[in-house]
Amino acid sequence: MLNEMISLQGVSVFFDSCKVLDNFSLIIKNSEFITLLGPSGCGKTTILKIIGGFLIPDKGRVFFQNKDITHTPPYKRNVNTIFQNYALFPHMNVYENVAFGMRVRKKTEREIAIKVKKMLKMVSLEDFETRDLMSLSGGQQQRVTIARALAVDPKVLLLDEPLAALDLKLRKDMQIQLKTIQHETNITFVFVTHDQEEALSMSDRIVVLDRGKIQQIGSPIKVYNEPENAFVADFMGESNILDGVILDDFLVTFAGRKFRCLDKGFKKKEKVDIVIRPEDVKVVKPEDSDLKGVITSVVFKGVHYEMIIDVDSFKWMVQTTKFIEVGSKIGIKLFADDIHTMRKSKYSGEYGDYSTFSDEMYEAYEHNTNLKKS
Amino acid sequence: MKKRIILTPYIVWCIVFIIVPMVLVLFFGLTDESGKFTTRNLCEVFLYPDVFLRSLWLGFKATAICLVVGYLSALIISRLNVKLQKILIILVMLPMWMNFLLKIYSLMFILQDNGFINGILSSFGFSKFNMMNTEGAVILGMVYNFLTYMILPIHSSLVEIDEKLLDAAKDLGANYFMTFVKVIFPLSIPGIVSGIAMVFIPSVSTFILSKMLGGRQNFLVGDIIDMHFLGGIYDPHIGSAISLVLMILLLICTGIINQLQNENKSKKGALVI
Ligand SMILES: Nc1ncnc2c1ncn2[C@@H]1O[C@H](COP(=O)(O)OP(=O)(O)OP(=O)(O)O)[C@@H](O)[C@H]1O
Ligand SMILES: [Mg+2]
């Protein structure tokens, strides 16, 4: 395939007999922005290390444009890495750091000077050439590492949580900047993050990982709207996950009621997981719905309020823009396109029920009860 | 106030063991037997230019050898796994725990005309090989005694280098040799500088070692000073004057080394850890 940049085939990695990656396969396409998304310890860095050549897998092969590079050392690969911590050379200034790869390649000083200028411009650090690294902020240092990696014209850029250490505002700026750079250069980006929002807003494709296994690959919209299992649904954002049974094409029952939905092709009577995003639930007057409940907590989140609603003792998480007091009786309404069905998996029942309070919810709950008391 | 109380023992120590002896050396060096000021002693020092030059020259050679051998050892040790590193570092330090004289005696035993090496040589039918009372023997003694002080600081500056930097260098296309030249070596310079200081200064001012391994023709400044206090020529005034000049020479050397260190530090000001 012409379009194929990197391909991992049946890769396994063991650390002290503990399986980190098990028979892992992934094809990365030319010029795409692909994101590896998963919780800490799921093997994201390990995958990047294999692509970068810093780790030789115990089993399986790695291909770069259809050439086997499983045993090629890093310095011979046309792949560059932005490391999780910046890893800038402390004995060199900004210019020398960016020039490093070209110096190694014995480029002329003229070529180097032109390229360094161009790269620093690309990351908006034009006047920083002679600056010491010490005098740079975290975001600026991160941009130097990006310039340094891009200066050697890689075919693939591996980015290991490059924005994790930055504050929210800077992170958003850098997300846009990275995306722009990727557009301009057409370099394949393999981006690692455990921030689902970042993954959703930047990627062409997202690979959702858990415990070294791919849970789902797809476009951000697809992964968010049509999660394949409860893990993906939960990891891609807050979700209410309920047990359901398929009655027929486009008809499903859960929470003791029947609903129209958009899914078909399941067996009749097949047990499924139902995902409903908190922002899709409509809050109405109790008399307008037969799903009635009581609000047990409300937390202000800036753009919206996040509330927990107890409906027949299943706790729903719902987001609204309107404030409603704790204790109010309300009804909730769902439309066919709010309801997503997923096949049962080993993750079924682990996520998506807010009656088992997470720490965060417990804090909110306590906060509310304290307010009531005072 | 409290700070001063805590500092008192240190200040007393400084006065008794550093300031007073220095003043005494200065006083003896600049006076004659009757206690009158004179520069005669200092002029006398210039009777020994060869000894001074030899001290500096042998110290320089020993330092250079220590640098090469020490750097290689430190580099190899730093590449090993942590457990092995610990064992090797203890082995490197072990000779430090042994008595200085004992070490020289054993070196003499090894190098003597009917010592260990010549014993082996002659048992294979080779003729004996004179090693004692040569410049080489003195340098060997210096290297043997001071090599540890070169290995330790270099090793610690090498293990301080973040593994990630080496990965980054490889990632950017540098093979091991290039990574060494462009990253490992520059980042180990602080260790090299303190290693040089810690080997060169004691080498230049050492004594006994040179007398025992090098014989009369390889006397160093230290031996001359020794002679003027405890040896055949008793003259503490000239001895003090020689000490004074040696101190000034070493002060200049230290100054130069510190300058190197500072330059490096100001560059290291860019350090981000
Ligand atoms: N050198 C190693 N020795 C033993 N176990 C290791 C080693 N490196 C990684 N692991 C284990 O492999 C698993 C995956 O690690 P990896 O660094 O790939 O996680 P990650 O997805 O990048 O996590 P994070 O988001 O925290 O960076 C973890 O359970 C980790 O403990
Ligand atoms: Mg990681």
Side-chain angles (χ1 to χ4, degrees):
Chain A
M1 220 204 301
L2 196 75
N3 201 16
E4 181 180 310
M5 183 55 95
I6 282 174
S7 150
L8 303 178
Q9 294 183 2
V11 167
S12 297
V13 173
F14 307 87
F15 284 123
D16 322 317
S17 78
C18 163
K19 249 185 212 162
V20 174
L21 289 180
D22 185 17
N23 202 10
F24 181 91
S25 297
L26 175 68
I27 290 173
I28 296 167
K29 295 184 217 151
N30 192 5
S31 303
E32 77 170 328
F33 194 121
I34 190 168
T35 299
L36 307 179
L37 175 68
S40 188
C42 71
K44 304 181 296 285
T45 301
T46 308
I47 295 168
L48 287 198
K49 276 188 182 160
I50 290 169
I51 300 174
F54 297 104
L55 185 70
I56 294 170
D58 298 304
K59 267 200 214 123
R61 314 232 60 98
V62 186
F63 294 89
F64 178 82
Q65 293 180 322
N66 295 317
K67 271 202 314 278
D68 189 334
I69 55 160
T70 314
H71 296 281
T72 308
Y75 60 89
K76 287 188 184 157
R77 296 187 185 200
N78 210 341
V79 170
N80 284 97
T81 312
I82 309 284
F83 291 91
Q84 203 160 356
N85 55 3
Y86 311 133
L88 287 168
F89 301 121
H91 55 299
M92 300 178 185
N93 63 16
V94 171
Y95 183 99
E96 285 305 316
N97 263 284
V98 178
F100 186 92
M102 290 180 282
R103 287 259 147 79
V104 169
R105 285 170 177 71
K106 305 265 187 307
K107 294 267 162 62
T108 63
E109 283 304 317
R110 239 179 71 86
E111 274 178 286
I112 293 175
I114 293 169
K115 195 69 181 257
V116 171
K117 269 221 158 60
K118 191 173 151 210
M119 289 302 131
L120 288 178
K121 189 159 184 230
M122 188 181 275
V123 296
S124 330
L125 288 175
E126 281 104 332
D127 298 324
F128 285 71
E129 290 181 6
T130 54
R131 286 277 286 272
D132 277 344
L133 298 176
M134 192 71 142
S135 67
L136 300 187
S137 72
Q140 289 164 340
Q141 286 185 37
Q142 192 54 277
R143 280 183 279 169
V144 176
T145 65
I146 294 165
R148 184 178 70 174
L150 290 174
V152 293
D153 298 319
K155 286 260 170 48
V156 178
L157 195 62
L158 311 175
L159 302 101
D160 196 351
E161 307 200 27
L163 312 179
L166 309 181
D167 65 58
L168 191 66
K169 174 85 177 54
L170 196 56
R171 198 154 77 212
K172 297 267 185 245
D173 289 349
M174 287 293 298
Q175 285 174 2
I176 294 166
Q177 214 166 10
L178 275 178
K179 195 68 197 159
T180 316
I181 290 170
Q182 200 253 339
H183 259 284
E184 282 171 4
T185 57
N186 257 328
I187 294 170
T188 307
F189 272 42
V190 185
F191 190 88
V192 161
T193 181
H194 55 238
D195 178 349
Q196 45 93 13
E197 242 183 84
E198 194 165 277
L200 287 172
S201 62
M202 298 179 79
S203 323
D204 297 325
R205 286 201 301 159
I206 296 177
V207 182
V208 185
L209 295 162
D210 185 43
R211 287 176 229 161
K213 281 219 153 58
I214 294 178
Q215 302 301 324
Q216 186 168 1
I217 305 183
S219 69
I221 294 175
K222 179 119 182 155
V223 173
Y224 187 81
N225 284 339
E226 295 164 43
E228 255 163 41
N229 63 36
F231 175 83
V232 179
D234 183 72
F235 203 78
M236 295 314 297
E238 302 292 352
S239 27
N240 300 290
I241 303 175
L242 298 92
D243 290 323
V245 178
I246 297 287
L247 296 175
D248 206 341
D249 282 354
F250 311 117
L251 194 64
V252 64
T253 171
F254 59 88
R257 283 145 193 94
K258 288 179 192 168
F259 293 88
R260 305 223 135 264
C261 66
L262 301 178
D263 301 287
K264 58 172 184 166
F266 287 91
K267 283 189 295 236
K268 278 185 192 161
K269 297 262 188 287
E270 183 173 342
K271 288 189 171 152
V272 289
D273 285 331
I274 305 290
V275 193
I276 295 154
R277 296 289 181 194
E279 69 270 21
D280 289 340
V281 180
K282 278 97 192 160
V283 175
V284 294
K285 291 197 193 101
E287 52 273 25
D288 292 344
S289 164
D290 59 345
L291 265 182
K292 296 182 213 320
V294 180
I295 297 176
T296 60
S297 87
V298 179
V299 183
F300 180 57
K301 287 280 180 175
V303 183
H304 57 259
Y305 293 95
E306 202 165 84
M307 44 186 80
I308 301 293
I309 301 177
D310 186 336
V311 180
D312 303 338
S313 83
F314 182 89
K315 302 272 200 308
W316 292 69
M317 174 177 279
V318 175
Q319 290 168 354
T320 63
T321 45
K322 213 174 63 192
F323 177 76
I324 309 172
E325 232 172 288
V326 172
S328 311
K329 285 202 169 54
I330 49 113
I332 60 178
K333 231 182 164 59
L334 299 166
F335 295 107
D337 59 352
D338 300 331
I339 296 162
H340 309 290
T341 51
M342 306 180 299
R343 289 214 152 76
K344 285 276 178 194
S345 68
K346 65 173 177 173
Y347 296 104
S348 297
E350 270 186 54
Y351 304 103
D353 178 0
Y354 290 91
S355 53
T356 48
F357 275 43
S358 65
D359 285 351
E360 183 188 315
M361 290 315 298
Y362 188 73
E363 265 173 34
Y365 173 78
E366 267 205 327
H367 179 69
N368 272 299
T369 45
N370 284 345
L371 278 183
K372 253 192 267 170
K373 270 183 217 150
S374 62
Chain B
M1 262 326 278
K2 244 191 190 152
K3 226 174 179 177
R4 270 199 209 151
I5 295 168
I6 295 168
L7 279 176
T8 312
Y10 175 72
I11 291 169
V12 170
W13 171 276
C14 272
I15 291 171
V16 174
F17 292 105
I18 299 175
I19 309 282
V20 172
M22 292 274 253
V23 170
L24 282 179
V25 168
L26 201 64
F27 174 77
F28 274 103
L30 296 176
T31 53
D32 57 19
E33 284 105 89
S34 57
K36 270 215 300 266
F37 174 79
T38 171
T39 54
R40 184 189 62 94
N41 303 324
L42 283 175
C43 297
E44 202 84 3
V45 173
F46 293 99
L47 291 177
Y48 304 103
D50 54 326
V51 181
F52 273 92
L53 278 180
R54 189 187 302 122
S55 290
L56 290 172
W57 181 228
L58 294 193
F60 173 78
K61 278 191 191 168
T63 309
I65 293 170
C66 279
L67 182 58
V68 174
V69 176
Y71 199 98
L72 283 175
S73 326
L75 191 64
I76 292 166
I77 293 172
S78 72
R79 300 278 90 198
L80 300 171
N81 70 41
V82 178
K83 220 169 161 185
L84 215 57
Q85 275 197 46
K86 268 192 191 144
I87 295 171
L88 284 173
I89 285 299
I90 289 177
L91 284 181
V92 166
M93 292 199 310
L94 211 58
M96 270 168 42
W97 305 341
M98 231 183 331
N99 183 283
F100 178 75
L101 273 177
L102 209 64
K103 283 191 280 187
I104 294 170
Y105 280 129
S106 28
L107 259 186
M108 285 170 76
F109 164 73
I110 292 169
L111 301 178
Q112 262 163 4
D113 283 350
N114 37 23
F116 183 71
I117 294 178
N118 277 322
I120 291 177
L121 283 180
S122 63
S123 73
F124 283 102
F126 293 101
S127 58
K128 278 189 180 167
F129 180 58
N130 177 43
M131 284 168 287
M132 281 301 288
N133 300 332
T134 59
E135 192 185 286
V138 179
I139 292 173
L140 181 68
M142 288 175 174
V143 170
Y144 178 52
N145 268 301
F146 304 125
L147 184 60
T148 308
Y149 303 102
M150 187 63 92
I151 295 178
L152 292 183
I154 292 176
H155 175 261
S156 72
S157 73
L158 283 174
V159 293
E160 251 176 42
I161 299 174
D162 187 355
E163 203 70 35
K164 278 264 159 49
L165 294 179
L166 310 185
D167 278 353
K170 263 192 255 167
D171 189 71
L172 291 162
N175 55 23
Y176 187 80
F177 176 71
M178 279 307 236
T179 307
F180 176 78
V181 172
K182 298 213 144 231
V183 182
I184 299 176
F185 186 76
L187 287 176
S188 65
I189 287 175
I192 295 177
V193 171
S194 47
I196 289 175
M198 282 163 76
V199 171
F200 183 70
I201 290 167
S203 295
V204 170
S205 55
T206 192
F207 71 116
I208 303 249
L209 186 159
S210 36
K211 194 158 78 183
M212 292 170 83
L213 294 168
R216 193 155 277 283
Q217 66 272 34
N218 282 306
F219 266 24
L220 300 182
V221 179
D223 300 304
I224 304 288
I225 297 170
D226 177 45
M227 249 162 49
H228 283 90
F229 284 97
L230 300 170
I233 335 164
Y234 179 76
D235 190 338
H237 298 278
I238 292 175
S240 298
I242 300 173
S243 299
L244 218 55
V245 173
L246 180 63
M247 265 197 290
I248 289 163
L249 273 178
L250 289 179
L251 209 66
I252 292 168
C253 292
T254 317
I256 292 168
I257 293 167
N258 274 346
Q259 202 53 42
L260 290 176
Q261 183 107 324
N262 283 343
E263 251 167 53
N264 199 267
K265 264 213 188 105
S266 67
K267 263 200 209 152
K268 256 186 100 186
L271 235 182
V272 176
I273 302 170

